[in-house]
PDB file of all heavy atoms in Angstrom:
ATOM      1  N   THR A  23      28.077  13.522  -4.875  1.00 91.00           N
ATOM      2  CA  THR A  23      29.078  12.751  -5.611  1.00 91.00           C
ATOM      3  C   THR A  23      28.613  12.658  -7.065  1.00 91.00           C
ATOM      4  O   THR A  23      27.565  13.201  -7.415  1.00 91.00           O
ATOM      5  CB  THR A  23      29.218  11.322  -5.054  1.00 91.00           C
ATOM      6  OG1 THR A  23      28.044  10.589  -5.400  1.00 91.00           O
ATOM      7  CG2 THR A  23      29.385  11.345  -3.552  1.00 91.00           C
ATOM      8  N   THR A  40      21.566   9.355   4.596  1.00 90.00           N
ATOM      9  CA  THR A  40      20.493   9.315   3.611  1.00 90.00           C
ATOM     10  C   THR A  40      21.124   9.459   2.237  1.00 90.00           C
ATOM     11  O   THR A  40      21.752  10.452   1.955  1.00 90.00           O
ATOM     12  CB  THR A  40      19.496  10.468   3.846  1.00 90.00           C
ATOM     13  OG1 THR A  40      19.028  10.423   5.179  1.00 90.00           O
ATOM     14  CG2 THR A  40      18.331  10.380   2.901  1.00 90.00           C
ATOM     15  N   PRO A  61      15.858  26.936   1.953  1.00 93.00           N
ATOM     16  CA  PRO A  61      15.264  25.601   1.807  1.00 93.00           C
ATOM     17  C   PRO A  61      15.350  25.050   0.392  1.00 93.00           C
ATOM     18  O   PRO A  61      15.210  25.789  -0.583  1.00 93.00           O
ATOM     19  CB  PRO A  61      13.785  25.826   2.182  1.00 93.00           C
ATOM     20  CG  PRO A  61      13.642  27.264   2.536  1.00 93.00           C
ATOM     21  CD  PRO A  61      14.835  27.979   2.015  1.00 93.00           C
ATOM     22  N   CYS A  66      11.595  12.831  -5.474  1.00 94.00           N
ATOM     23  CA  CYS A  66      12.178  11.693  -6.190  1.00 94.00           C
ATOM     24  C   CYS A  66      11.131  10.873  -6.923  1.00 94.00           C
ATOM     25  O   CYS A  66       9.949  10.889  -6.578  1.00 94.00           O
ATOM     26  CB  CYS A  66      12.908  10.778  -5.208  1.00 94.00           C
ATOM     27  SG  CYS A  66      14.267  11.596  -4.378  1.00 94.00           S
ATOM     28  N   LEU A 183       2.831 -12.205 -31.334  1.00 97.00           N
ATOM     29  CA  LEU A 183       2.326 -12.971 -30.192  1.00 97.00           C
ATOM     30  C   LEU A 183       2.865 -12.448 -28.871  1.00 97.00           C
ATOM     31  O   LEU A 183       4.057 -12.221 -28.722  1.00 97.00           O
ATOM     32  CB  LEU A 183       2.721 -14.449 -30.338  1.00 97.00           C
ATOM     33  CG  LEU A 183       2.232 -15.370 -29.211  1.00 97.00           C
ATOM     34  CD1 LEU A 183       0.723 -15.581 -29.325  1.00 97.00           C
ATOM     35  CD2 LEU A 183       2.947 -16.721 -29.276  1.00 97.00           C
ATOM     36  N   ASP A 461      14.085 -12.430   0.675  1.00 95.00           N
ATOM     37  CA  ASP A 461      13.431 -11.233   1.205  1.00 95.00           C
ATOM     38  C   ASP A 461      12.134 -10.908   0.494  1.00 95.00           C
ATOM     39  O   ASP A 461      11.388 -10.042   0.929  1.00 95.00           O
ATOM     40  CB  ASP A 461      14.353 -10.016   1.042  1.00 95.00           C
ATOM     41  CG  ASP A 461      15.629 -10.167   1.823  1.00 95.00           C
ATOM     42  OD1 ASP A 461      15.593 -10.778   2.904  1.00 95.00           O
ATOM     43  OD2 ASP A 461      16.666  -9.684   1.334  1.00 95.00           O
ATOM     44  N   ARG A 498       5.962   5.677   0.962  1.00 91.00           N
ATOM     45  CA  ARG A 498       6.935   4.657   1.321  1.00 91.00           C
ATOM     46  C   ARG A 498       7.887   5.108   2.424  1.00 91.00           C
ATOM     47  O   ARG A 498       8.224   4.358   3.325  1.00 91.00           O
ATOM     48  CB  ARG A 498       7.732   4.341   0.071  1.00 91.00           C
ATOM     49  CG  ARG A 498       8.777   3.303   0.245  1.00 91.00           C
ATOM     50  CD  ARG A 498       9.408   3.035  -1.108  1.00 91.00           C
ATOM     51  NE  ARG A 498      10.650   2.332  -0.969  1.00 91.00           N
ATOM     52  CZ  ARG A 498      11.569   2.276  -1.932  1.00 91.00           C
ATOM     53  NH1 ARG A 498      11.338   2.880  -3.082  1.00 91.00           N
ATOM     54  NH2 ARG A 498      12.673   1.616  -1.738  1.00 91.00           N
TER      55      ARG A 498
END
Side-chain angles (χ1 to χ4, degrees):
Chain A
T23 71
T40 305
C66 298
L183 181 72
D461 297 326
R498 180 176 164 198

